[in-house]
Amino acid sequence: MKTMLKIEKPIHKIADKISSKEMDAILRIQSCALKAIHDFMYSREILQLMPVMLSTITDPLCHSVYDAKIKYMEQELMLTKSMILHKQMALMSDSRKAIYIISPNIRLEKEECKDSGRHLIEFSQVDFEFKDVKKEFIKDFMEDLFISVISRVKEDCKKELEALGRDLVIPTKPFARISTKDAIRLGEEFETILSEKATEPFWLLDHEREFYDKEHEEKSKVYLNYDLVYPEGFGEALSGGEREHEHEKIIERMIRSGTKPEHYTEYLELAKHGKLPKTAGGGFGVERLLRFLTGKKDIADVCLFAKKPGMKVLI
Ligand code: AMP
Ligand code: MG
């Protein structure tokens, strides 16, 4: 069946939104949050890399999206869904310990996401990765980063937050940790239910996901990964994990998750020759962070040029 794209707003309404005072406040908060992120990364000696936007390989994701490919001469290239595989490869150098990228991602999400309030088909992730660290290190790091961003926005954007009617609470460390194996008792919508009840961000642990998230050495189907979830119903902020780097295990996990190894030939070749380092990391969406910081329910309201699933792109 052919899908009809909907027009969310006529172009003059989009123009009003782009030029509004509210958008001025939102963009100022975005600028402040990004500055806080860069300062934090720099203070921890984390190298900023430039994004990769075209490649023969990208994240297979654990949910289905339409493929975004372009043909360049005789080669078909994919638009980046996340930089996870490139983050692993970028850490092959002995002297590089930690990296981050503000990475533009194209994910042509299905129509069912159109009213979620948190899905776009084009967004940016703050994607970071460390060598030779475990999941507890990453959670601690992310808690510090998140607290530092909220504190800076609260301090430097008082006027803007007031104009938006947003009162931000600085969370306390350590954030709560909840296993998805326990949370599932609440039903499939456990993340939403827990997020709506929460007043502080929390971690959801151990999801079955893509081949690159590491499985426990002894316990099968226990995964060394984590999601950070915003309170007040804002839902998922970040996904991350310790990564699989051993060739045989990657293949096993690809087969289990229905990913075709033949699409990842060169990446697997590197793994086979022991070139992939042991890493852990995560990525959080800039627009979702801004949605939380500004208290806006619809992610499109915090983007100058929002592209929502199922909606016609006008400009
Ligand atoms: P993932 O690894 O798929 O969880 O993506 C990492 C992060 O990017 C998520 O935790 C969200 O903050 C953000 N994100 C993922 N998909 C989207 C989307 N379609 N629109 C906006 N942000 C997204
Ligand atoms: Mg996720």
Side-chain angles (χ1 to χ4, degrees):
M1 198 179 66
K2 203 161 180 294
T3 326
M4 290 297 290
L5 288 167
K6 295 184 189 57
I7 297 184
E8 195 188 17
K9 280 191 180 107
I11 189 70
H12 68 270
K13 288 257 187 234
I14 296 180
D16 289 349
K17 178 184 119 181
I18 291 174
S19 52
S20 68
K21 286 266 172 291
E22 180 170 286
M23 187 51 84
D24 289 343
I26 290 169
L27 293 178
R28 165 99 177 97
I29 293 171
Q30 174 172 266
S31 199
C32 176
L34 288 171
K35 173 86 170 95
I37 292 166
H38 286 302
D39 285 351
F40 184 89
M41 296 292 192
Y42 195 79
S43 74
R44 302 271 176 125
E45 296 184 23
I46 298 162
L47 274 184
Q48 183 180 7
L49 304 187
M50 297 310 283
V52 171
M53 297 178 71
L54 286 176
S55 178
T56 52
I57 53 169
T58 190
D59 193 333
L61 302 181
C62 57
H63 69 289
S64 158
V65 298
Y66 298 113
D67 271 340
K69 289 183 186 165
I70 61 166
K71 201 156 185 320
Y72 177 63
M73 300 192 180
E74 78 277 13
Q75 229 187 348
E76 212 166 59
L77 298 175
M78 275 180 280
L79 277 73
T80 314
K81 292 175 185 151
S82 93
M83 272 185 60
I84 172 62
L85 307 174
H86 292 84
K87 287 195 300 180
Q88 283 180 294
M89 294 185 284
L91 284 171
M92 286 193 290
S93 144
D94 281 346
S95 55
R96 240 168 272 147
K97 301 283 181 235
I99 52 158
Y100 80 104
I101 314 108
I102 309 270
S103 166
N105 293 175
I106 299 294
R107 296 188 185 177
L108 305 180
E109 306 277 4
K110 300 274 167 84
E111 299 67 23
E112 52 262 31
C113 301
K114 79 177 170 37
D115 296 320
S116 72
R118 56 195 178 109
H119 286 88
L120 297 164
I121 59 169
E122 176 191 71
F123 66 97
S124 290
Q125 250 192 84
V126 179
D127 215 354
F128 60 86
E129 199 77 10
F130 286 77
K131 201 151 58 187
D132 296 325
V133 301
K134 300 281 186 196
K135 58 188 183 356
E136 278 315 314
F137 174 94
I138 299 288
K139 280 185 252 160
D140 185 60
F141 167 83
M142 187 60 205
E143 291 177 9
D144 285 342
L145 171 55
F146 191 60
I147 289 171
S148 135
V149 171
I150 298 203
S151 309
R152 178 82 82 94
V153 168
K154 217 172 144 66
E155 184 57 34
D156 291 1
C157 300
K158 290 196 183 86
K159 245 186 11 222
E160 289 77 9
L161 290 172
E162 201 186 313
L164 294 166
R166 182 71 171 145
D167 187 19
L168 285 173
V169 178
I170 300 173
T172 40
K173 275 180 76 179
F175 300 172
R177 285 139 164 78
I178 304 167
S179 161
T180 54
K181 306 270 188 288
D182 294 332
I184 194 74
R185 288 191 206 118
L186 298 168
E188 288 297 321
E189 293 301 311
F190 62 86
E191 184 202 289
T192 311
I193 297 169
L194 291 169
S195 173
E196 278 168 0
K197 270 206 285 189
T199 53
E200 301 229 339
F202 61 93
W203 293 100
L204 270 176
L205 313 175
D206 185 13
H207 303 72
E208 178 156 15
R209 279 200 301 237
E210 300 90 343
F211 66 82
Y212 52 74
D213 276 359
K214 201 173 175 60
E215 191 174 18
H216 195 286
E217 297 287 349
E218 281 120 40
K219 299 182 205 154
S220 164
K221 303 229 166 167
V222 173
Y223 301 93
L224 307 179
N225 59 20
Y226 34 82
D227 274 10
L228 179 67
V229 184
Y230 293 121
E232 305 169 64
F234 285 96
E236 181 191 325
L238 163 146
S239 289
E242 289 181 28
R243 316 300 186 182
E244 195 48 78
H245 67 289
E246 289 177 58
H247 181 257
E248 266 175 40
K249 288 188 183 160
I250 297 176
I251 299 274
E252 190 190 315
R253 293 288 306 287
M254 281 183 162
I255 291 166
R256 200 197 295 167
S257 60
T259 304
K260 293 195 170 102
E262 59 269 29
H263 291 171
Y264 295 84
T265 312
E266 280 76 22
Y267 172 81
L268 287 170
E269 184 88 357
L270 291 174
K272 197 173 191 167
H273 288 90
K275 298 280 185 203
L276 286 187
K278 264 192 201 169
T279 72
F284 58 96
V286 173
E287 297 79 0
R288 287 204 191 168
L289 170 66
L290 195 56
R291 175 176 173 255
F292 171 73
L293 292 172
T294 58
K296 289 276 162 200
K297 291 282 174 262
D298 186 351
I299 197 163
D301 290 344
V302 301
C303 302
L304 267 184
F305 305 105
K307 295 175 188 80
K308 277 173 89 171
M311 296 297 166
K312 193 166 179 144
V313 179
L314 295 184
I315 41 174

